[in-house]
Amino acid sequence: KNQVEQSPQSLIILEGKNCTLQCNYTVSPFSNLRWYKQDTGRGPVSLTIMTFSENTKSNGRYTATLDADTKQSSLHITASQLSDSASYICVVTYNAGKSTFGDGTTLTVKP
Amino acid sequence: NAGVMQNPRHLVRRRGQEARLRCSPMKGHSHVYWYRQLPEEGLKFMVYLQKENIIDESGMPKERFSAEFPKEGPSILRIQQVVRGDSAAYFCASSSYSPSGLSYNEQFFGPGTRLTVL
């Protein structure tokens, strides 16, 4: 069964600190992996997208890594800001168009 | 270039009524996806459509739910005889597809329609 599991389920950090979110998947055959940020009450917004040949990609303070061998990805957030408070969703695409979504990690950044 | 548009943003229906949710994809996108998000839960895939074709409806409930993406006009998600359990946020996403058949398949999401069933 194609699954995407994210951890932790929720995370609270202080403003300015770094954090890392994890995503493990069993999806096959792998096409690409995306991280989305979803603010409360809004639609998800893409942060990064990686194919199997890419093992790291950055978007500002967000850096995603991918290990296709172990089927793991991480999203690292540097120097967190209050506006980083959101749900972060890992999505793995397979079979040309089918995607499996993780349940997300809810990040709260406190002043 | 306008993003994915959904309307209405909020919809209130009484039990037994019909709900119609509309999604206009980004310009140039021919693929549309519908997702449901229950309160405090993650996004769940419902259906994937191309123009005039349903590609994958494995996440769609067998009864009362239907979706279409006509040659002209927006994609429609239709829920007949709504029940309280249908209350959720419904998100639409769209993507393009390269001629070679290879694509990042990056999906761009709309703001969602929040359906409340009384």
Side-chain angles (χ1 to χ4, degrees):
Chain A
K1 182 180 179 182
N2 290 313
Q3 287 187 314
V4 176
E5 295 190 357
Q6 293 187 240
S7 62
Q9 187 174 8
S10 61
L11 181 62
I12 300 174
I13 61 174
L14 293 176
E15 186 179 12
K17 297 296 186 183
N18 303 336
C19 67
T20 300
L21 314 180
Q22 300 290 343
C23 173
N24 297 338
Y25 61 93
T26 59
V27 172
S28 181
F30 176 87
S31 178
N32 62 68
L33 184 146
R34 292 163 284 154
W35 283 93
Y36 283 91
K37 178 187 179 189
Q38 185 178 20
D39 292 311
T40 301
R42 309 191 74 162
V45 174
S46 179
L47 294 175
T48 64
I49 181 167
M50 293 182 289
T51 63
F52 70 92
S53 61
E54 299 172 293
N55 48 29
T56 187
K57 186 163 282 189
S58 292
N59 177 2
R61 294 179 297 103
Y62 301 102
T63 299
T65 64
L66 173 65
D67 186 333
D69 292 330
T70 61
K71 298 189 176 181
Q72 295 179 327
S73 176
S74 65
L75 180 69
H76 186 74
I77 305 174
T78 304
S80 61
Q81 300 176 359
L82 297 179
S83 59
D84 292 331
S85 295
S87 178
Y88 291 84
I89 305 167
C90 174
V91 183
V92 182
T93 299
Y94 62 102
N95 272 356
K98 296 187 178 183
S99 295
T100 299
F101 282 63
D103 285 337
T105 292
T106 301
L107 174 66
T108 303
V109 180
K110 292 195 169 183
Chain B
N1 183 15
V4 178
M5 299 177 69
Q6 290 188 247
N7 67 82
R9 294 292 308 277
H10 301 273
L11 182 62
V12 179
R13 285 288 178 265
R14 296 191 180 280
R15 281 179 296 171
Q17 291 184 318
E18 178 180 286
R20 280 184 180 241
L21 289 61
R22 296 175 187 78
C23 170
S24 296
M26 284 180 69
K27 187 177 180 181
H29 285 187
S30 57
H31 297 236
V32 166
Y33 312 77
W34 284 95
Y35 298 88
R36 177 165 61 178
Q37 187 171 36
L38 296 170
E40 307 300 323
E41 293 190 13
L43 287 157
K44 301 299 181 190
F45 168 79
M46 298 181 74
V47 63
Y48 164 35
L49 310 104
Q50 295 178 21
K51 287 280 188 181
E52 301 183 281
N53 282 310
I54 295 175
I55 306 303
D56 181 357
E57 56 181 347
S58 58
M60 192 93 100
K62 299 297 181 198
E63 298 178 348
R64 302 187 298 107
F65 285 72
S66 62
E68 63 176 11
F69 189 15
K71 188 176 181 181
E72 300 292 336
S75 175
I76 306 288
L77 179 67
R78 181 183 178 204
I79 312 172
Q80 295 178 290
Q81 299 174 340
V82 296
V83 300
R84 288 215 174 112
D86 295 333
S87 295
Y90 292 83
F91 289 96
C92 167
S94 72
S95 70
S96 62
Y97 213 82
S98 69
S100 66
L102 297 173
S103 172
Y104 275 110
N105 208 48
E106 182 170 3
Q107 297 178 25
F108 295 84
F109 283 81
T113 293
R114 275 145 192 85
L115 172 66
T116 301
V117 180
L118 301 177

